[in-house]
Amino acid sequence: MAEPGQSPMAARGLARTMAHFWMILGVIIVAFPIYYVFIASTHSVQTILRPPLPLLPGPEAAENYSDAFSGGIGRIGGVSLWRLLGNTTLIALGIALGKIAISMASAYAIVFFRFPFRMACFWLIFITLMLPVEVRIQPTYKVMVDLGLIDTYAGLILPLIASATATLLFRQFFMTIPDELLEAARVDGAGPWRFFKDILWPLSLTNVAAIFVIQFIYGWTQYLWPLLVTNSNEMNTIVIALKKMISFADADTPWNLVMVTSVLAILPPILVVVLMQRWFVKGLVETEK
Amino acid sequence: MARIELQDVRKSYAGQEVIHGVTIDIANGEFVVIVGPSGCGKSTLLRMVAGLEEISAGTIRIGDRVVNTLEPRERNIAMVFQNYALYPHMSVRDNMAYGLKIAGLSKADIDAAVARAASMLELEPFLDRKPRALSGGQRQRVAMGRALVREPAAFLLDEPLSNLDAKLRVQMRLQIKDLHLRTGQTTLYVTHDQVEAMTLADRLVVMDRGIAQQIATPHEVYTTPANEFVAGFIGSPAMNIFDVRSEGGILVLPGGHRVTVADPPPDGDLRLGLRPEDVETVSDGADAFPVVIHSVEWLGADAYGYCVIDNSDTQLTVRMPGNAPAARGDRLKISLSRSRLHFFSKEDGRRLKAQRAS
Amino acid sequence: MRRTVFPHKLLPWLLLAPQLAITLIFFYWPAAQAFRQSVLKEDPFGLSSAFVGLANFRKVLSDPAYLNAVQVTVVFSLLVAFSALAIALFLAVQAEKIIRGKGFYRTMMIWPYAVAPAIAGMLWLFMFNPSFGTLAWPLRQIGINWNPLLDGDDAMILVVAAATWKQISYNFLFFVAGLQAIPKSLLEAAAIDGASRRHAFWTIVFPLLTPTTFFLLVVNTVYALFDTFGIIHAVTGGGPGKSTETLVYKVYNDGFVNLIMGDSAAQSVILMVIVIALTAFQFRFIERRVHYG
């Protein structure tokens, strides 16, 4: 591996230093946009509108954030920042927990029972992978109107909790449970509910955590769906609200508050991903493979 | 405790019958071992008794109840699995207590039962550990303990020792035997290992291709195998079995050797069985035939000579004393009248008659 | 196939019911409606409709605006998939060489995964906004006339950058996992055989990564086709002058903003065919690697 005239150790050391250099560059590219918006959120509108932006946090942080939380956002978007964060959290949690519940139940049925049309049901669920919202926008909207789900939390959450991905992951995991474990439990007297509660659920916790992270992010970052099924500003998610703020942008737009909103739209999912990194990475890489 | 009765029990998968009508009557407190080569249906039979596998026809009784359609938990049985099937997230204590908890026993009763089983199996130091922190032998004991705490009507074990190394297997075999003597539990034990089968069983069920070939005490199975399969399967090294012809008191052996026998079988073509350990060598005689040794395995106390009957390619294994082994190329003469002989039908392999050495 | 299962017959249906209900109501029924509408033509008031066969498809496929969207989508998807894969693979290979600090780099790399596509687009728009973007400013200083709000190519560059940026994390995690799965002994054997690092990478590591790369290629294509709707919608709105109008954006625009149902439905069906083809392709390939019992 060493180039002629170079000791292998030196070559390896150099390669490692170069690797660090590239990684740092990569991290800067990846993290800079997020850092940039954070910096912007701590400056006044005047500073933001006069490029280049300083690379360090400005003095207006406290002022910007307290203004944003105490009604500043409501003046631009017509709905308070609290409400936006609340809506988005509720939707993200609803989608994540709902998905876990219904996909675990269906995977349990498919793996641990035998009944007519079992594989047909599996395929019915599997094929939904091929029907993302984007390819059936208009007719799905019509269903929502007919069911009276426009501008409701149910309308924002329910259609998104059917997930082939989560069902597939649980199915795959359930199939790795040895037959003997189920047999031992049955000899011990456990029925379907006890087996699930006492054995399968504790063994699934890592997978549940992983799916929770992935689906929380999925829920938090929804865009097209909330755009379709909400008309009232009261039902906006923070992402949609942000989009509405910048699309009506004019000279008077309080960019400092827009930046604060951006930071708050980004921060919660980032925290979830970073704090639950171990499960998230495992879940991501294993779900998709 | 209870007796277990299987009456013409059959199992079919997709129209293909794999268990062809097995009838066994296991007495209260009896230790019965089902032994056979892999794929003979022994595990399926055990799992049908446990209720993990539906039966296609026949009747299974545990105690006085027909259990054909009962769930495993309603059969009042305990089972030890080949890979132990311990719940990985539960401590040893919780693993053992789980069945009792489901049965709704009081905390005090559960603790007492677990303590008793743990002391019997010397598991006390490990009660709070998780299965992954245990060695193979310890896990095996936990699996036994989980079965023991239940005080079930019957104890079912599916190859419980096959995942252990040889030394531990001997140790656990003795412990299982000892446990059975102490608890007097009706036990059905499945193994492919004939040493386990012979040493543990009150009675053996030798299975092959879905049929119980012989149901008898280990002694009887060894001395009077019911057919050629049982004769060949039980005993190590395996019994020598080859074609002979009986002609009025004379046996014609491979290679054309004509040998007189004291108590001759009926005339015609048949199969002669001769255990390596029953072979007697002599210097000469009308009842003897020559073999040539082509290799010798010396094991210490004994040696096995792998021979060929002179003028033929029929192989024959002979046990010899370890202190005077022969060498390759040596010739031996084997006496039939002083050896114990087994005759089997050439058509269906059934035992013809017991031949007793004079 | 499991050997042992519970004998209940009704319970599994109860367990499946919620997922099946949601799937049927919100997936199959609308998809069927899309198929139905794609062969119907509604009168302008939406009062009656007539069967027109493949007329809607013919109309869509000969519409220059649609062909423009196809072209935009192909360019956009290729650029995003290629850049996101190349950058992530390069960084993953660098990360593999590092012994200390690997965890730190990984943590720093995964942030964008948590950022909504629409917000990713807005972040890049903030940075490259022609009037106050800090990074647009130096471009102007050196005489580049940069304006993604008016120039189609600039707009395309901006949305490609934002879409690529967001997808690097995901690809990076998969490439790192893929690289870790390659036995070190293979690289040691190559080193003993005298292969240089670069040579070993292209002859051993890269071929062994093919399954991962292939998988990611499909995922990235699907991502670029569908998930980037938010970026386009939030940043350019398909403009300027339809220069960033992708297929998905056009379906939305025709069905929702312009209310041309038949056309929009026909476009939906075409998109569905594309997704089915991609998924089938991916599944065939997953089948070969993962055994679904």
Side-chain angles (χ1 to χ4, degrees), chain C residues 104-188:
Chain C
F104 168 76
Y105 288 125
R106 192 180 74 177
T107 306
M108 297 302 288
M109 292 295 297
I110 62 178
W111 293 19
Y113 179 85
V115 176
I119 294 184
M122 291 183 234
L123 293 185
W124 283 74
L125 186 58
F126 293 154
M127 293 190 299
F128 286 96
N129 188 307
S131 59
F132 63 85
T134 295
L135 298 180
W137 177 77
L139 291 177
R140 263 208 321 278
Q141 297 299 306
I142 58 173
I144 295 173
N145 185 15
W146 164 262
N147 194 339
L149 301 180
L150 296 175
D151 183 284
D153 289 340
D154 290 356
M156 179 61 101
I157 292 172
L158 186 66
V159 289
V160 166
T164 303
W165 173 77
K166 178 163 162 46
Q167 192 63 5
I168 289 175
S169 313
Y170 183 92
N171 295 350
F172 177 79
L173 289 175
F174 275 86
F175 277 131
V176 166
L179 286 170
Q180 274 165 356
I182 295 176
K184 291 286 160 285
S185 57
L186 281 180
L187 293 176
E188 285 160 6

Side-chain angles (χ1 to χ4, degrees), chain B residues 5-11 19-23 45 48 55-60 210:
Chain B
E5 260 183 282
L6 280 68
Q7 216 161 54
D8 198 31
V9 169
R10 289 165 191 275
K11 175 77 189 176
I19 303 281
H20 307 287
V22 172
T23 302
L45 197 62
M48 288 197 284
I55 67 173
S56 308
T59 315
I60 298 180

Side-chain angles (χ1 to χ4, degrees), chain A residues 30 106 124 136 177 183 223, chain C residues 2 4 19 26 28 165 233:
Chain A
V30 162
S106 52
L124 210 61
R136 52 187 167 82
I177 300 284
E183 292 172 354
Y223 187 78
Chain C
R2 294 196 82 84
T4 319
Q19 175 133 26
F26 297 111
Y28 284 96
W165 173 77
H233 186 262

Side-chain angles (χ1 to χ4, degrees), chain A residues 107 111 122 165-177 207 285-289, chain C residues 2 286 290-293:
Chain A
V111 175
F122 171 71
T165 332
T167 311
L168 284 177
L169 179 86
F170 279 124
R171 172 175 175 268
Q172 226 167 315
F173 171 69
F174 288 169
M175 291 201 313
T176 66
I177 300 284
N207 289 283
V285 176
E286 279 175 15
T287 324
E288 306 286 2
K289 276 205 169 170
Chain C
R2 294 196 82 84
I286 288 177
V290 186
H291 180 72
Y292 284 105

Side-chain angles (χ1 to χ4, degrees), chain A residues 1 12 16 19-20 22-24 27 29-30 32-34 36-37 48-49 51-53 102-103 105-106 108-109 111-116 121 123-128 130-131 134-141 143-144 147 149 158-159 161-163 167 171-172 174-175 177-180 182-183 186 190-192 195 214 217 221 223-224 227-228 239 242-243 246 255 258-259 262 265-266 269-270 273-274 277 280-281 284-285 288-289, chain C residues 1-9 11-13 15-16 18-20 22-31 33-34 37 90-91 94-95 97-100 103 105-119 122-127 131-135 137 165 168 170 172-174 177 191 195 197 212 215 226-227 229-230 233-234 248 251-252 255-256 261 264 268 271-272 275-276 279 283 286 289-290 292-293:
Chain A
M1 279 188 285
R12 200 168 299 165
R16 204 168 290 150
H20 278 286
W22 288 115
M23 284 312 294
I24 289 165
V27 164
I29 292 175
V30 162
F32 184 75
I34 296 168
Y36 179 86
V37 70
I48 294 172
L49 290 179
L53 193 75
I102 74 163
S103 55
S106 52
Y108 191 55
V111 175
F112 289 102
F113 295 85
R114 287 286 168 278
F115 51 95
C121 288
W123 281 104
L124 210 61
I125 293 168
F126 181 79
I127 287 172
T128 59
M130 307 182 199
L131 300 170
E134 287 82 353
V135 307
R136 52 187 167 82
I137 298 175
Q138 213 283 325
T140 313
Y141 178 75
V143 171
M144 303 302 290
L147 293 178
L149 290 173
L158 270 185
I161 67 174
S163 153
T167 311
R171 172 175 175 268
Q172 226 167 315
F174 288 169
M175 291 201 313
I177 300 284
D179 273 311
E180 284 84 356
L182 173 58
E183 292 172 354
R186 288 186 64 190
F195 176 69
I214 293 170
I217 304 297
T221 59
Y223 187 78
L224 177 56
L227 195 64
L228 292 182
V239 181
L242 194 58
K243 151 70 184 150
I246 65 161
W255 283 106
V258 170
M259 296 300 169
S262 302
I266 295 172
I270 285 187
V273 162
V274 171
Q277 195 183 145
F280 159 67
V281 172
L284 191 68
V285 176
E288 306 286 2
K289 276 205 169 170
Chain C
M1 226 5 209
R2 294 196 82 84
R3 194 172 64 189
T4 319
V5 293
F6 289 110
H8 306 65
K9 295 294 169 217
L11 186 59
W13 287 108
L15 291 168
L16 272 167
Q19 175 133 26
L20 287 183
I22 291 174
T23 304
L24 290 174
I25 296 172
F26 297 111
F27 285 73
Y28 284 96
W29 173 251
Q33 287 302 308
Q37 280 170 12
F90 177 78
L91 291 176
Q94 304 309 318
K97 292 182 195 156
I98 290 167
I99 296 163
R100 231 172 313 165
Y105 288 125
R106 192 180 74 177
T107 306
M108 297 302 288
M109 292 295 297
I110 62 178
W111 293 19
Y113 179 85
V115 176
I119 294 184
M122 291 183 234
L123 293 185
W124 283 74
L125 186 58
F126 293 154
M127 293 190 299
S131 59
F132 63 85
T134 295
L135 298 180
W137 177 77
W165 173 77
I168 289 175
Y170 183 92
F172 177 79
L173 289 175
F174 275 86
R197 267 173 186 273
T212 309
F215 163 80
F226 298 102
D227 298 346
F229 171 84
H233 186 262
V248 171
V251 175
Y252 166 81
F256 254 82
M261 296 309 160
S264 174
S268 289
L271 276 178
M272 253 185 260
V275 190
I276 289 169
T279 314
F283 190 64
I286 288 177
R289 297 194 309 139
V290 186
Y292 284 105

Side-chain angles (χ1 to χ4, degrees), chain A residues 183 185-189 198, chain B residues 47 71 73 87 89 98 150:
Chain A
E183 292 172 354
R186 288 186 64 190
V187 170
D188 270 341
D198 293 340
Chain B
R47 293 162 50 76
E71 277 283 285
R73 68 192 147 98
Y87 309 122
H89 59 295
Y98 187 58
R150 301 274 308 277

Side-chain angles (χ1 to χ4, degrees), chain B residues 93 232 350:
Chain B
R93 185 193 307 279
R350 267 186 311 117

